[in-house]
Amino acid sequence: MELGMLSTSLPIKRELTAASLGFREPTHNSLDAVSDRDFAADFLYACAVTMMHLSRLAEEIRTRTGVRVERQKQALDALRAELTEEEQTLLVLRIDQQLSWDEIAEVMGDAAAPLDAAALRKRFERLKEKLTKLAKERGLVA
């Protein structure tokens, strides 16, 4: 194995240069002068390779998660489509709009036939049971 030795063709005085830089004496060979920085270069290379792999891993996780979330959203939209219009309205008002039971009773009822908030809560419980059953049948939940 051949080792390359670094030097310069410039007429420098090694002792004067070493003293100017605050060293005790000039190095005996070029390997002594550069070997101390090799570990830093190796460490930085390892960090760069690690970051590249982590970036690839993060991109793969993001892509797979995005696809899974989109599939789940489509499956949930399909479940909602199977509900009656009244059930969908109740679900939207309670979950999406976050209205109180009294507010939902006011929105869904009319002057001739007002709705009771307690009855709506019971209807909502039955709706949750129905959705849970449908989701289990389709393998969306365990």
Side-chain angles (χ1 to χ4, degrees), residues 10 18 22 59 74 77 84 95-96 110 119 123 126 128:
L10 298 174
E59 177 63 22
Q74 290 171 353
D77 289 343
T84 66
I95 301 298
D96 297 341
D110 57 23
R123 193 181 303 174
R126 287 193 302 267
K128 288 193 310 186

Side-chain angles (χ1 to χ4, degrees), residues 1-128:
M1 182 166 102
E2 189 175 314
L3 293 176
M5 300 300 277
L6 298 176
S7 63
T8 181
S9 60
L10 298 174
I12 64 169
K13 295 182 178 161
R14 295 181 69 227
E15 289 77 14
L16 180 60
T17 303
S20 297
L21 293 173
F23 299 133
R24 285 184 309 215
E25 61 181 326
T27 58
H28 297 289
N29 61 55
S30 63
L31 291 177
D32 289 341
V34 297
S35 65
D36 286 345
R37 70 175 181 217
D38 288 349
F39 81 93
D42 289 343
F43 176 74
L44 292 174
Y45 171 76
C47 289
V49 169
T50 301
M51 292 306 295
M52 177 191 64
H53 289 298
L54 287 174
S55 176
R56 287 180 181 171
L57 178 65
E59 177 63 22
E60 186 172 332
I61 290 170
R62 187 187 68 79
T63 301
R64 288 186 181 186
T65 302
V67 169
R68 186 175 60 232
V69 166
E70 185 59 32
R71 283 188 199 142
Q72 288 175 341
K73 185 180 180 310
Q74 290 171 353
L76 291 174
D77 289 343
L79 282 181
R80 273 193 177 190
E82 292 186 32
L83 300 176
T84 66
E85 187 176 326
E86 186 177 303
E87 289 172 332
Q88 287 181 21
T89 302
L90 179 57
L91 194 62
V92 167
L93 292 175
R94 185 62 182 169
I95 301 298
D96 297 341
Q97 300 286 328
Q98 298 182 349
L99 297 181
S100 70
W101 292 112
D102 291 330
E103 291 169 326
I104 295 171
E106 186 178 322
V107 170
M108 292 183 70
D110 57 23
L115 292 175
D116 181 41
L120 282 174
R121 280 195 296 274
K122 185 64 178 167
R123 193 181 303 174
F124 187 72
E125 289 301 317
R126 287 193 302 267
L127 175 59
K128 288 193 310 186

